[in-house]
């Protein structure tokens, strides 16, 4: 391959859908291309004219227009266009114009058709007409399934093994000492190669079978067998095991097919571990339920603070196992609620029973089930209407301090704006909260809009859940019926804009602290959440999670066709970029933050980042149109 074709190949290999092609196909594509240069402002293809090539943008920027002249899309380096027309009648359906000096690669139609026939992923990319961002998000979701997670990633401590001559009492003692639920029984090597295994000392054995807790109960204790019974007499000697590079899905099917909950895991013929059904379940829960159980077992704030490394380890594990932002956000929010709940229980133990009923509510990301590892605490107390400040407030002030200080010790920093139950203003009876919300909706001045953007994402953590539900009902009823409030909230949601310039280049932060970076929360996920909240209020949604709000919005005519799905993909992608960045911070022993340097991520991810920010930009433009000032 000559130097020019090699340079073409290296560039195209960085971008979808070429990045997944085989080396042979990629070589063929690179050898087939022609190049063309277009000055800024020049037409590349015009409506209705013949088209014989797939167009690949090597450098520059291109505007794609609809038949009526409206802007359809703005493309940059690594993007393709013309595939829609090639797949139909080979006439241009979407005119294209260079908006800056642009260098294109032309891939001949014959090669394009060859790629479609030879590579299913390439064909899906161009035939389904899915935006690149959608394809990426859907692939991430698929990659996170049980079908792709290898069994070796689920193994914990070393397996417990005994020789077949050991007594059931010795086996039971080993299981107890190792805090295990099963033991692998080995026997001396024989003439059955299918059972041949080696241990961690390279000693040769045959795999005889497995004895579980259930076997001890049903086949030993229930039958009254003596303690000196050899394990060879009671072991389930069916040859059932799984290789370490098989998937969790395959392991689950093996368990179901054989009605077992334990599987020996081999790495080739070496004993690698023991897989339990709960290990597979943990793939779905990502340990958040197990960590939640640990939280409720702690008897002091000190005990709770010692779980912070476990929280971070759980977060890292979820990301490494390919969990979606919804799974991660829900899991971390559940953990945060568990900390809050346990601290409230400890506060009641210290202070005594509450003098009046109360509901401790979470606000913001915890209420939306969208927390990441970088978060502060936003919370409040809704008290029964019988609350008398003179008699009762000392108790709830002390409770608020215990919880707030405890959360801070557990990694949830104090809210710099004072949105915490330690603030008397946010420690009020239900009737006062209802008045707060009514005033904010009825008089949407800047201060009230700020409060609305914080407090209108709320959920019960502990106590009288109906208090929180009544506030959610009030929002759903009053918000949708208040055009002035919705228009004001829409304008407020435009205060934070995505960091892209006219030519889809990134606009970096210049605040002196994080120069040449992008704050993925402030400039990405937060404004997306803000505009989704406005639409949710308009359709009287009672959901708190942004993805669930999009489901509710989809049942209405608030958004044009396809916009809700694009918002969903953009939010998922931006959330995962932010989350993965925080994992890298933790792995590098840095304090995690939200500041992304685009130069530190791959070319394909930078393109997807621009696509996601463009979705946000378009959605913000529509917001002003959808909710005009009355």
């Amino acid at each position: 391959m000559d130097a020019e074709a090699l340079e073409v190949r290296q560039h195209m290999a960085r971008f979808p859908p070429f990045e997944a092609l085989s080396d042979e196909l990629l070589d063929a594509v690179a050898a087939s291309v022609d190049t063309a240069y277009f000055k800024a402002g020049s037409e590349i293809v015009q409506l209705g004219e013949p088209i014989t090539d797939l167009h690949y943008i090597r450098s520059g920027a291109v505007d794609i227009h609809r038949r009526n002249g409206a802007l359809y899309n703005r493309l940059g380096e690594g993007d393709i266009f013309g595939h829609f027309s090639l797949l139909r009648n080979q006439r241009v359906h979407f005119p294209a114009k260079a908006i800056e000096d642009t260098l294109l690669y032309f891939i001949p139609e014959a090669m394009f058709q060859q790629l479609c026939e030879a590579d299913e992923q390439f064909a899906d990319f161009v035939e389904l007409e899915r935006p690149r961002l959608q394809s990426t998000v859907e692939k991430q979701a698929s990659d996170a399934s049980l079908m792709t997670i290898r069994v070796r990633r689920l193994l914990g401590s070393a397996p417990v093994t005994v020789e077949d001559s050991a007594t059931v009492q010795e086996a039971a003692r080993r299981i107890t000492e190792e805090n295990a639920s099963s033991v692998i029984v080995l026997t001396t090597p024989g003439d059955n190669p299918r059972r041949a295994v080696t241990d961690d000392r390279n000693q040769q054995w045959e795999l005889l079978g497995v004895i579980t807790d259930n076997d001890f109960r049903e086949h030993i204790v229930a039958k009254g067998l003596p303690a000196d019974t050899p394990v060879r007499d009671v072991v389930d000697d069916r040859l059932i095991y799984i290789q370490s590079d098989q998937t969790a899905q395959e392991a689950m099917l093996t368990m179901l097919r054989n009605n077992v909950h334990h599987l020996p895991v081999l790495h080739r013929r070496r004993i690698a571990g023991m897989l339990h059904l709960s290990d597979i379940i943990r793939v779905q829960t990502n340990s958040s339920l197990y960590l939640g159980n640990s939280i409720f077992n702690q008897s002091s704030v000190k005990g709770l603070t010692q779980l912070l490394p476990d929280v971070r380890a759980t977060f890292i594990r979820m990301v490494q196992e390919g969990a979606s932002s919804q799974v991660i956000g829900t899991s971390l929010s559940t953990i945060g609620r568990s900390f809050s709940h346990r601290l409230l229980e400890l506060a009641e133990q210290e202070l005594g029973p509450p003098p009046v009923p109360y509901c401790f509510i979470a606000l913001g990301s915890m209420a939306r089930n969208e927390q990441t590892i970088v978060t502060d605490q936003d919370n409040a107390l809704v008290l029964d209407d019988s609350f008398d400040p003179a008699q009762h407030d000392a108790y709830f002030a002390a409770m608020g301090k215990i919880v707030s200080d405890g959360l801070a010790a557990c990694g949830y920093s104090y809210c710099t704006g004072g949105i915490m139950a330690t603030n008397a203003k946010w420690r009020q009876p239900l009737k006062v909260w209802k008045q707060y919300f009514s005033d904010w909706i009825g008089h949407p001045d800047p201060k009230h809009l700020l409060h609305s953007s914080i407090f209108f994402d709320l959920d019960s953590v502990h106590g009288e859940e109906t208090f929180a539900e009544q506030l959610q009902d009030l929002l759903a009823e009053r918000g949708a019926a208040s055009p002035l409030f919705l228009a004001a909230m829409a304008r407020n949601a435009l205060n934070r804009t995505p960091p892209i310039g006219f030519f889809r280049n990134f606009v970096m932060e210049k605040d002196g602290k994080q120069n040449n970076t992008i704050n993925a929360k402030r400039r990405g996920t937060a404004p997306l959440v803000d505009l989704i909240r406005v639409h949710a209020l308009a359709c009287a949604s009672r959901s708190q999670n942004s993805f669930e709000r999009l489901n509710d919005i989809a049942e209405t005519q608030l958004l044009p066709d396809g916009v809700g799905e694009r918002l969903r993909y953009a939010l998922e992608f931006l959330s995962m970029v932010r989350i993965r960045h925080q994992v890298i911070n933790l792995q590098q022993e840095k304090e995690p933050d939200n500041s992304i340097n685009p130069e530190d991520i791959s070319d394909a991810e930078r393109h997807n980042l621009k696509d996601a920010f463009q979705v946000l930009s378009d959605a913000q433009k529509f917001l002003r149109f959808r909710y005009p000032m009355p």
Side-chain angles (χ1 to χ4, degrees):
M1 179 177 289
D2 61 37
E4 183 178 354
L6 181 61
E7 195 278 336
V8 171
R9 182 194 192 284
Q10 291 173 338
H11 192 275
M12 297 180 77
R14 292 158 48 193
F15 301 99
F18 304 97
E19 61 179 355
L21 292 179
S22 67
D23 289 341
E24 182 181 0
L25 284 174
L26 201 54
D27 289 344
V29 174
S32 73
V33 304
D34 287 327
T35 60
Y37 176 78
F38 294 85
K39 286 186 173 295
S42 61
E43 300 287 343
I44 299 174
V45 292
Q46 298 183 18
L47 181 66
E49 72 179 13
I51 184 168
T52 58
D53 301 282
L54 177 67
H55 295 60
Y56 174 95
I57 303 175
R58 174 61 177 81
S59 62
V62 174
D63 272 357
I64 308 296
H65 295 275
R66 298 185 186 276
R67 290 173 177 270
N68 62 5
L71 180 65
Y72 172 67
N73 202 356
R74 178 162 288 162
L75 306 179
E77 181 186 8
D79 283 320
I80 60 173
F81 62 96
H83 48 291
F84 181 89
S85 301
L86 286 174
L87 289 167
R88 283 154 179 83
N89 59 0
Q90 297 178 323
R91 296 280 175 177
V92 173
H93 290 257
F94 296 95
K97 181 178 182 180
I99 56 173
E100 60 182 52
D101 292 349
T102 298
L103 179 64
L104 296 180
Y105 293 155
F106 287 173
I107 301 170
E109 180 196 1
M111 176 55 63
F112 172 73
Q113 296 295 347
Q114 181 182 338
L115 293 175
C116 291
E117 293 171 4
D119 190 277
E120 185 176 347
Q121 290 188 33
F122 184 94
D124 282 348
F125 189 96
V126 298
E127 291 174 3
L128 295 179
E129 277 298 302
R130 292 179 302 180
R132 175 176 52 208
L133 183 62
Q134 176 182 350
S135 300
T136 299
V137 169
E138 289 178 350
K139 183 176 186 299
Q140 288 174 349
S142 173
D143 288 347
S145 72
L146 288 174
M147 298 185 69
T148 59
I149 296 174
R150 304 298 176 183
V151 165
R152 60 177 174 265
R153 295 170 61 183
L154 308 182
L155 299 179
S157 57
V160 181
T161 62
V162 297
E163 294 186 44
D164 63 334
S165 59
T167 66
V168 293
Q169 185 178 40
E170 290 170 347
R173 184 183 301 116
R174 288 291 311 282
I175 288 177
T176 302
E177 290 172 350
E178 300 293 336
N179 193 29
S181 60
S182 62
V183 59
I184 296 174
V185 180
L186 304 174
T187 189
T188 54
D191 57 359
N192 189 343
R194 293 185 63 242
R195 291 184 180 269
V197 296
T198 60
D199 62 18
D200 56 1
R201 297 187 299 275
N202 287 323
Q203 189 170 349
Q204 302 296 315
W205 299 94
E206 277 191 9
L207 175 62
L208 186 58
V210 174
I211 299 178
T212 68
D213 277 337
N214 188 60
D215 293 326
F216 278 104
R217 184 174 64 252
E218 292 186 5
H219 303 305
I220 299 172
V221 178
K223 294 181 179 180
L225 296 180
D228 60 354
T229 302
V231 293
R232 71 169 71 92
D233 293 346
V234 296
V235 67
D236 181 351
D237 61 357
R238 291 180 296 167
L239 186 60
I240 305 170
Y241 63 86
I242 195 164
Q243 288 290 335
S244 63
D245 62 350
Q246 290 181 264
T247 66
Q249 176 77 8
E250 292 170 312
M252 175 69 84
L253 291 174
T254 300
M255 289 182 178
L256 292 172
R257 190 165 55 247
N258 295 283
N259 193 29
V260 296
H261 290 174
H262 298 76
L263 278 178
V265 178
L266 305 183
H267 177 60
R268 300 194 177 180
R269 304 312 303 175
R270 182 182 297 276
I271 301 172
M274 176 68 80
L275 186 72
H276 188 267
L277 178 62
S278 62
D279 298 320
I280 299 178
I281 294 173
R282 196 155 50 237
V283 174
Q284 304 293 68
T285 62
N286 294 293
S287 300
S288 61
L289 294 178
Y290 297 86
L291 182 54
N293 186 59
S294 297
I295 290 170
F296 284 105
N297 286 333
Q298 302 304 314
S299 59
S300 67
V301 173
K302 182 178 180 181
L304 291 171
T305 61
Q306 292 173 349
L307 295 176
L308 179 57
D310 293 339
V311 176
R312 293 188 165 187
T314 298
F315 173 65
I316 292 172
R317 177 177 177 177
M318 283 190 284
V319 177
Q320 291 175 335
E321 291 179 350
S324 69
S325 75
Q326 288 180 265
V327 170
I328 294 169
T330 299
S331 298
L332 290 186
S333 298
T334 298
I335 291 169
R337 284 193 183 91
S338 298
F339 275 117
S340 301
H341 191 162
R342 184 57 182 150
L343 286 165
L344 287 162
E345 292 177 342
L346 294 175
E348 289 190 21
Q349 291 176 17
E350 179 179 337
L351 301 173
V356 297
Y358 72 91
C359 179
F360 188 90
I361 59 173
L363 307 166
S365 61
M366 186 184 292
R368 295 193 308 272
N369 282 328
E370 296 170 16
Q371 280 201 314
T372 70
I373 205 68
V374 179
T375 186
D376 59 3
Q377 50 177 292
D378 295 305
N379 51 64
L381 274 166
V382 183
L383 307 169
D384 187 80
D385 284 341
S386 62
F387 170 76
D388 179 354
Q391 298 183 56
H392 308 140
D393 193 48
Y395 177 95
F396 289 109
M399 171 180 276
K401 180 171 174 54
I402 290 171
V403 175
S404 186
D405 290 348
L407 286 173
C410 293
Y412 301 83
S413 58
Y414 295 110
C415 175
T416 55
I419 310 297
M420 298 176 290
T422 51
N423 187 333
K425 186 173 183 179
W426 313 129
R427 198 170 59 242
Q428 296 291 337
L430 179 60
K431 60 186 177 184
V432 173
W433 280 106
K434 288 181 176 180
Q435 190 59 53
Y436 281 169
F437 283 19
S438 297
D439 288 345
W440 297 346
I441 293 172
H443 305 90
D445 60 34
K447 185 177 181 180
H448 287 172
L449 290 171
L450 176 61
H451 290 332
S452 299
S453 65
I454 297 171
F455 287 89
F456 286 7
D457 299 336
L458 68 99
D459 201 16
S460 169
V461 171
H462 182 55
E464 300 293 328
E465 294 183 359
T466 58
F467 292 175
E469 291 169 359
Q470 289 182 57
L471 293 177
Q472 291 168 352
D473 290 343
L474 184 150
L475 290 175
E477 294 163 5
R478 299 277 183 88
S482 306
L484 177 62
F485 170 71
L486 292 174
M489 285 289 285
R491 298 302 182 276
N492 198 56
L494 303 177
N495 289 335
R496 294 180 284 198
T497 56
I500 49 174
F502 179 77
F503 293 117
R504 285 170 52 95
N505 57 309
F506 292 117
V507 178
M508 304 297 197
E509 305 285 350
K510 299 292 183 181
D511 62 2
K513 295 180 181 179
Q514 296 288 348
N515 281 341
N516 298 318
T517 63
I518 295 170
N519 189 303
K521 177 183 178 182
R522 184 168 63 237
R523 305 294 296 278
T525 57
L528 264 173
V529 167
D530 286 345
L531 69 87
I532 291 170
R533 183 189 300 110
V534 176
H535 294 309
L537 287 166
C539 70
S541 169
R542 286 167 170 76
S543 298
Q544 302 301 307
N545 178 262
S546 294
F547 293 100
E548 293 174 3
R549 285 172 168 171
L550 284 170
N551 291 339
D552 294 341
I553 295 165
E555 299 297 320
T556 72
Q557 300 298 315
L558 284 172
L559 298 178
D561 289 344
V563 171
E565 285 303 299
R566 289 197 287 274
L567 288 173
R568 183 184 303 277
Y569 295 127
L571 180 57
E572 174 65 25
F573 183 78
L574 288 172
S575 297
M576 287 309 303
V577 167
R578 178 185 170 205
I579 286 168
R580 286 194 293 267
H581 170 74
Q582 292 171 5
V583 166
I584 293 171
N585 288 156
L586 291 173
Q587 291 174 328
Q588 295 175 345
E589 298 184 353
K590 300 176 182 177
E591 274 303 304
D593 59 32
N594 297 306
S595 297
I596 312 290
N597 186 339
E599 297 302 318
D600 293 339
I601 60 179
S602 69
D603 294 307
E605 190 154 275
R606 277 202 299 276
H607 268 60
N608 286 319
L609 201 57
K610 290 179 182 178
D611 289 347
F613 286 137
Q614 189 64 52
V615 169
L616 170 58
S617 178
D618 294 343
Q620 287 187 329
K621 293 172 185 174
F622 176 77
L623 200 67
R624 187 185 297 273
F625 162 79
R626 183 62 184 78
Y627 304 101
M629 279 292 181

